[in-house]
Amino acid sequence: MTRIEQVITPQVHTHGRVGGWAREYAVSKLEAALQHAPGRVHRTSLTLDSAAPGNRVDAHVDVDGTAVHVHAVGETLQEAADLLQERLRSRLRRLRRTHHQGPVPSES
C-alpha cells in the first residue's frame, strides 16, 4: 500500500497574545498527530487562546466526514500544544480501530 502524504494547511485563530513561534509550534504538533488519521483529512482548524484561564489550544479536524474535536489546557501554549498532540493522536487511533471493525452487526 502506498501512502500519499497530504498537506492540509489548518485555519489558525488566535485570542490574546500569541507569538508566531507558538503558532508554528502548535501547527507542527497538529500535523504530526494527523499522520495517524485513518482516512483523508479534508479540513483542519486550530485555535490558540492565551486569554482563557490557562493557555488553551483547540483542534477541529474532518476525517472522511467524521468530525473530531480535541482541546487541551496547559501552563504555556507549548504545553497545551503537546497535550493536544497526544490527545488527537489517541482519538485518531481510536477512530482507526472503529473504522477497521466495521459496522456493528444487527441481531436477528
Side-chain angles (χ1 to χ4, degrees):
M1 178 170 105
T2 303
R3 181 178 174 134
I4 298 172
E5 294 301 319
Q6 50 189 338
V7 177
I8 302 295
T9 304
Q11 287 185 312
V12 180
H13 307 279
T14 59
H15 300 283
R17 292 179 168 234
V18 177
W21 63 269
R23 180 185 172 117
E24 289 175 21
Y25 186 80
V27 167
S28 71
K29 292 298 187 170
L30 174 68
E31 290 172 345
L34 291 177
Q35 296 301 313
H36 300 277
R40 182 171 164 78
V41 176
H42 297 279
R43 203 169 313 146
T44 62
S45 69
L46 191 62
T47 302
L48 288 78
D49 190 349
S50 66
N55 290 282
R56 181 179 170 121
V57 180
D58 289 87
H60 293 271
V61 179
D62 176 349
V63 180
D64 280 337
T66 301
V68 178
H69 172 244
V70 178
H71 74 271
V73 176
E75 299 249 345
T76 64
L77 285 172
Q78 181 177 358
E79 181 182 335
D82 290 340
L83 290 169
L84 179 111
Q85 179 187 12
E86 292 173 24
R87 291 177 182 168
L88 181 57
R89 183 175 49 218
S90 175
R91 182 77 56 86
L92 292 172
R93 285 181 177 163
R94 194 171 330 130
L95 187 62
R96 173 176 281 163
R97 284 194 303 269
T98 58
H99 276 220
H100 287 308
Q101 292 171 355
V104 177
S106 60
E107 294 183 29
S108 302

